[in-house]
Each structure stands twice: as C-alpha cells, then as structure tokens.
Amino acid sequence: LLQKPVYLAEGKLRVKKTSTTPSLTGLGRGTGQLDPLGQESSPLDTEAETIRSVSIIKKTITRVDLKDESGAPLKIKQFLKQLNVTKLGSSDVMQVTYKDVDPQKVTAVVNTLMAVYLENDIIANRSETVAARNFIEKQLPSAEASVRQAELALRRFKEENKVVSLDQEATSAVA
C-alpha cells in the first residue's frame, strides 16, 4: 500500500526501410529492403540500437524536460534503465516501452521518443537522396560526353562509307 504505482506506456513502430537511391541511380538492389551487413546482424536490432542512441535519447530528454530528483536533466543511463525496445516475434515491428511513476510522463516519453526516431529516419533518407543526386550530377557530364563521341563516330562512319540512311541501304541491298 505504501509503494507508488509504476506506469508503463508502450508504442509500436513498423520498420520498413525504403531507400530510393537504387531506383534513382540504377545501382544496387531493389528498394524497401532491410539488408544486414553481416550474417549475424539483424536490421531490426540495428534500428532498436538507433532508438537507444545517445542523440535520440538526449533529444527526447530535452523535449520532454525530464529531470532527476535533484532537478538536473535526467542522465542517459537512468533513462535507459526505464526504456525497453524489443522486436515483436518475427515481424518488422518494434515495441517501445517506458516505465515511471508519472502516467503523463511515460506517455510523453514514448510518443516523443518515437517522433524523434522518425524525424531522424527522415533526415537520413533525405541525405541518401541528396547523395544520389550528387552522384547523378557527377555522372551526367561523362555520360553526355560518351553520347557525343558515339554520335560523332556514327557521323564519321556514314560520311566515310557514303551512307545516307541505313534502313534504305539495307532495303536496297536485300533487293
């Protein structure tokens, strides 16, 4: 009866990596795939660690204005003790839970943490798109030069062999 109740808020995130870079550059595999770098790694575990990252935790602590008993900003280690990020079964869904004695605080923390994670993901996707655009802009002049060289070679061939229209030449040769 003397113990304060502990509240638990939870939220779920569906993780779907949609990279537009391969479709923009024509390089790499299809979009919408979460590919691990190694055989042992799991993309969902990587995303869970991203949620637990210092930058996302700091932004969440600042936005919710979390304080410890002395009134100082809550330490990251204290925050992580109350946070749990797990993947649900074999799905692409992660569950984020936070527990505290203040029911409004737990709700605000989970909502803010997921919002900060999504903002971070959007920024990362934008930077990939910018990198793809820069890649395309660098490749464009060399591709244009290749096309010009091919056109010049074709024109020279036609002039040297006195070919006006290849289609008409082929038709007359067959006839």
Side-chain angles (χ1 to χ4, degrees):
L1 292 174
L2 298 175
Q3 188 176 8
K4 287 185 178 179
V6 176
Y7 296 93
L8 178 79
E10 72 176 43
K12 294 179 182 174
L13 288 168
R14 179 174 175 235
V15 179
K16 182 178 180 184
K17 191 69 166 177
T18 54
S19 173
T20 56
T21 303
S23 65
L24 292 174
T25 61
L27 302 173
R29 295 176 28 181
T31 61
Q33 297 175 350
L34 282 170
D35 293 328
L37 292 176
Q39 291 178 343
E40 308 294 313
S41 87
S42 164
L44 284 175
D45 290 338
T46 303
E47 293 304 311
E49 287 305 315
T50 302
I51 291 173
R52 291 186 203 102
S53 69
V54 172
S55 63
I56 290 179
I57 300 297
K58 278 186 178 180
K59 285 180 187 175
T60 303
I61 290 171
T62 304
R63 287 188 188 176
V64 181
D65 194 30
L66 297 174
K67 307 278 184 196
D68 61 12
E69 293 83 27
S70 65
L74 190 65
K75 301 258 188 282
I76 294 172
K77 285 186 179 185
Q78 291 173 312
F79 184 91
L80 288 172
K81 286 179 184 176
Q82 296 167 275
L83 177 71
N84 190 18
V85 181
T86 56
K87 63 181 180 178
L88 295 178
S90 61
S91 67
D92 289 340
V93 177
M94 289 188 305
Q95 183 176 25
V96 178
T97 59
Y98 188 81
K99 56 185 171 183
D100 195 89
V101 294
D102 183 354
Q104 280 78 31
K105 185 190 295 184
V106 293
T107 304
V109 167
V110 170
N111 289 337
T112 304
L113 182 67
M114 291 192 309
V116 169
Y117 167 75
L118 293 173
E119 289 168 12
N120 185 56
D121 195 49
I122 289 169
I123 290 168
N125 288 337
R126 283 186 185 156
S127 66
E128 281 183 21
T129 305
V130 168
R133 178 177 170 225
N134 291 338
F135 173 78
I136 291 169
E137 286 176 350
K138 285 181 183 177
Q139 297 299 313
L140 192 59
S142 63
E144 287 174 341
S146 299
V147 169
R148 275 191 242 110
Q149 286 179 347
E151 287 174 343
L152 183 62
L154 179 62
R155 189 176 327 127
R156 282 188 191 142
F157 174 80
K158 285 182 176 181
E159 288 172 0
E160 289 173 4
N161 296 304
K162 297 179 180 157
V163 175
V164 176
S165 172
L166 286 175
D167 291 336
Q168 290 176 352
E169 297 273 338
T171 305
S172 64
V174 169

